[in-house]
Amino acid sequence: MKIGFVGVGIMGRPMAGHLRADGHELLLVRHRSPLPADLLEAGASVRDSAAEVARDADVVILMLPDTPDVEDALFGADGVAAGLSGGKLVIDMSSIDPIATRGFAERIQALDCDYVDAPVSGGEVGARAASLTIMVGGSDAAFARAQPLLALMGKNITHIGAAGAGQITKVANQIIVALNIEAVAEALVFAAKAGADPAKVRAALMGGFAASRVLEVHGERMVKRTFDPGFRIALHQKDLGLALSGAKALGLSLPSTASTQQLFSACVAQGDGDRDHSAMVKALELLAGITL
Amino acid sequence: MKIGFVGVGIMGRPMAGHLRADGHELLLVRHRSPLPADLLEAGASVRDSAAEVARDADVVILMLPDTPDVEDALFGADGVAAGLSGGKLVIDMSSIDPIATRGFAERIQALDCDYVDAPVSGGEVGARAASLTIMVGGSDAAFARAQPLLALMGKNITHIGAAGAGQITKVANQIIVALNIEAVAEALVFAAKAGADPAKVRAALMGGFAASRVLEVHGERMVKRTFDPGFRIALHQKDLGLALSGAKALGLSLPSTASTQQLFSACVAQGDGDRDHSAMVKALELLAGITL
């Protein structure tokens, strides 16, 4: 199949590589910065614009940083929409605004094309290992078309509902992960300040109702002080921004998401925006006057 | 061994039963309300005060609701301390204030007795099944004495550190569980309000970094609307109260613990204080104008 891939950065590059390795033709958009040499060596061809990629490909996949990037790639001058013809499939694997996504899906469907939103979790490690968790929104027919390609990039692939439902699920994921990090951070800072060994406290809690992937993975990073990303605080801040702007637009209250976002802001203020999100504990340590 | 058991309520009664079933002698304090018939039928003997129980027992175990109850049972008129003689062991399995616990331990140790704090998690189900998680503070020697008795009531038994460390760990556990419940509640209410099926969102998140025992157990209760306790909101509110008063006394900031406590207060205001703590989601639903 001819697959256009827009956004071959840290995540997109290995994801596109898996598609190519399976024998698909890969079409990339020419950039000011050089395209990844491994993809070019593997035979990816290059077009001058997203519109040309969309014209020549059967499927266009996007993996971009944020909502405006996706909007521009889809609907900007020489964007994907300008090159689409009926029957093609657009898969947005970026993590962006669920409400904006519904609008993007409608505009692509108006061109007689299919649209699925398929944001991922699992980070660079998951992208390289083709083990991403993928949360999908779109019609049953669109999901059925996308599924074999998604299966080349990830493992847990769940069709949640109509267009936008993938992005909604990704936001829900990011809310839980951020608040679970804060939960573990508050608990370990409390324990340390009260005079208990946070490593022993963490180990004791792993067997009970406090058990979580975050206690396991991020709790260990806090105790061992390994804050190399992982997943950057600045990116998680973007994701909680989607949750909070979505909450405002939809009319609901997310009190802990809001306060956790403020702690991420404190981390950015301390110069820790590029550290792993488990470094949130440093903001609480600062307020407590201790280090774990 | 002769074991005095002070506090044979919902938790204490089955715990004391396991000790008796293993062949230990059981000494209880006479109450205004009748003592559990099953323990009396199993041969437990009764004394008129905690002091008399302490005088006649080798070990005294306490399982009481809150810090003042433990203080009164230990140091009130005709309390445990009044009956203790050198060499005995006091085990407080209640969930109470870690800082007060240090003071209680010092006062008991001044009587030439051992003291361990050994709060539990696992609830009534764990108490009945002798599968409680037990977090222990105390000297190595005191822990070694208590361990064989604790093993009759629980499974994951961890010696965390000096006296108070068990209570510190229990507070840390309750912080994480409460904040993880809020995390799942905010995520599912967001998803539902945005138009996705919360049951599908929950299922999709179980495989990734958002995975937790709370997403598994309490998330299911939220989706299925089964709010029978479980663990009562009013009790969890007491435990977060220990975290927040401890934080104030120790000098640290627990911003999400504080705001989650406020949500529990909203639940109590709505008449839900006796529901399972997963019913926290109802307060967020109220603010969002929806039900999952």
Side-chain angles (χ1 to χ4, degrees):
Chain A
M1 201 174 278
K2 293 181 181 174
I3 302 175
F5 208 108
V6 182
V8 283
I10 290 174
M11 295 290 292
R13 181 182 136 192
M15 291 161 68
H18 297 308
L19 299 170
R20 179 71 193 114
D22 194 62
H24 293 286
E25 275 187 54
L26 208 54
L27 287 75
L28 308 179
V29 185
R30 195 178 308 282
H31 269 254
R32 282 153 297 182
S33 53
L35 288 163
D38 58 337
L39 296 179
L40 298 173
E41 280 166 24
S45 57
V46 180
R47 299 289 183 278
D48 285 327
S49 69
E52 285 181 41
V53 162
R55 191 192 61 205
D56 294 344
D58 308 305
V59 177
V60 180
I61 297 177
L62 297 96
M63 189 61 179
L64 294 164
D66 206 347
T67 313
D69 307 300
V70 173
E71 181 162 30
D72 189 55
L74 288 176
F75 306 111
D78 293 321
V80 168
L84 285 177
S85 50
K88 298 197 174 184
L89 168 64
V90 175
I91 307 176
D92 179 25
M93 302 188 74
S94 323
S95 290
I96 65 162
D97 186 340
I99 300 166
T101 289
R102 284 197 192 130
F104 298 166
E106 282 173 17
R107 291 169 72 182
I108 296 295
Q109 286 158 357
L111 301 171
D112 208 22
C113 292
D114 279 325
Y115 186 96
V116 303
D117 48 302
V120 308
S121 98
E124 188 183 349
V125 172
R128 288 179 181 277
S131 65
L132 293 166
T133 295
I134 310 183
M135 299 147 265
V136 191
S139 69
D140 289 344
F143 176 71
R145 287 182 74 183
Q147 207 278 341
L149 299 176
L150 299 177
L152 298 172
M153 297 178 277
K155 277 182 178 156
N156 285 307
I157 301 164
T158 313
H159 184 207
I160 309 286
Q167 299 295 355
I168 291 168
T169 307
K170 178 68 193 284
V171 170
N173 185 75
Q174 297 304 81
I175 289 173
I176 293 179
V177 173
L179 272 55
N180 282 10
I181 289 174
E182 168 138 12
V184 170
E186 291 200 9
L188 294 185
V189 169
F190 176 86
K193 184 89 182 186
D197 177 351
K200 283 193 185 167
V201 170
R202 173 183 161 275
L205 298 184
M206 295 273 289
F209 272 117
S212 68
R213 284 295 304 281
V214 164
L215 181 65
E216 191 186 329
V217 175
H218 302 80
E220 185 175 42
R221 290 178 191 161
M222 292 177 201
V223 169
K224 293 198 172 165
R225 319 305 289 175
T226 51
F227 296 132
D228 309 325
F231 190 75
R232 283 186 189 80
I233 283 173
L235 280 173
H236 211 149
Q237 211 176 13
K238 183 209 86 176
D239 292 339
L240 292 195
L242 295 176
L244 294 171
S245 64
K248 189 172 179 198
L250 294 164
L252 76 153
S253 172
L254 299 175
S256 276
T257 302
S259 70
T260 298
Q261 177 77 312
Q262 294 303 310
L263 269 190
F264 276 145
S265 294
C267 293
V268 171
Q270 295 291 319
D272 288 327
D274 284 330
R275 296 204 184 247
D276 185 71
H277 46 179
S278 56
M280 186 202 288
V281 72
K282 292 176 72 184
L284 290 165
E285 288 172 344
L286 200 69
L287 295 172
I290 57 154
T291 304
L292 287 191
Chain B
M1 201 173 279
K2 292 182 183 174
I3 302 175
F5 209 108
V6 181
V8 284
I10 291 173
M11 296 290 292
R13 180 182 136 190
M15 292 161 68
H18 297 309
L19 299 171
R20 179 71 195 112
D22 193 61
H24 294 285
E25 273 187 58
L26 208 55
L27 287 73
L28 308 179
V29 185
R30 194 180 309 283
H31 268 256
R32 280 155 298 185
S33 53
L35 289 164
D38 57 339
L39 296 179
L40 297 175
E41 281 166 25
S45 56
V46 181
R47 299 289 182 277
D48 283 328
S49 70
E52 286 182 39
V53 162
R55 191 192 61 206
D56 293 344
D58 308 304
V59 177
V60 179
I61 298 178
L62 298 96
M63 190 61 180
L64 293 164
D66 206 349
T67 312
D69 306 301
V70 173
E71 181 163 28
D72 188 55
L74 288 176
F75 305 110
D78 293 321
V80 168
L84 285 177
S85 50
K88 300 198 175 187
L89 168 65
V90 174
I91 307 176
D92 179 25
M93 303 190 72
S94 322
S95 290
I96 65 162
D97 186 341
I99 300 167
T101 290
R102 285 198 192 129
F104 298 166
E106 281 172 20
R107 292 169 72 182
I108 296 295
Q109 286 157 358
L111 302 172
D112 209 20
C113 293
D114 280 326
Y115 186 97
V116 304
D117 48 303
V120 308
S121 101
E124 188 183 349
V125 172
R128 287 179 181 278
S131 65
L132 294 165
T133 294
I134 309 182
M135 299 148 267
V136 190
S139 69
D140 289 344
F143 175 72
R145 287 182 76 181
Q147 207 278 341
L149 298 177
L150 299 176
L152 297 173
M153 297 178 277
K155 277 183 178 153
N156 286 306
I157 301 164
T158 314
H159 185 207
I160 309 288
Q167 299 293 356
I168 291 168
T169 306
K170 178 67 192 285
V171 170
N173 184 76
Q174 296 304 82
I175 290 173
I176 293 180
V177 173
L179 273 54
N180 282 9
I181 289 175
E182 168 137 13
V184 170
E186 291 200 9
L188 294 185
V189 169
F190 176 87
K193 184 88 181 190
D197 176 350
K200 284 192 183 168
V201 170
R202 174 184 161 274
L205 299 184
M206 296 273 289
F209 273 117
S212 67
R213 284 295 304 282
V214 163
L215 181 65
E216 193 186 327
V217 175
H218 302 80
E220 186 175 41
R221 289 178 191 162
M222 292 177 201
V223 169
K224 293 197 172 165
R225 319 304 289 172
T226 49
F227 297 132
D228 307 325
F231 190 75
R232 283 188 189 78
I233 282 173
L235 280 173
H236 211 148
Q237 211 177 12
K238 181 209 87 177
D239 292 339
L240 292 194
L242 295 176
L244 294 169
S245 63
K248 190 174 180 199
L250 293 163
L252 77 155
S253 171
L254 300 176
S256 275
T257 302
S259 71
T260 299
Q261 178 75 312
Q262 294 303 309
L263 270 189
F264 277 146
S265 294
C267 293
V268 171
Q270 295 291 318
D272 287 328
D274 283 331
R275 295 203 184 248
D276 185 70
H277 46 179
S278 57
M280 187 203 286
V281 72
K282 292 176 73 185
L284 290 164
E285 289 172 343
L286 200 68
L287 295 172
I290 57 155
T291 303
L292 287 191

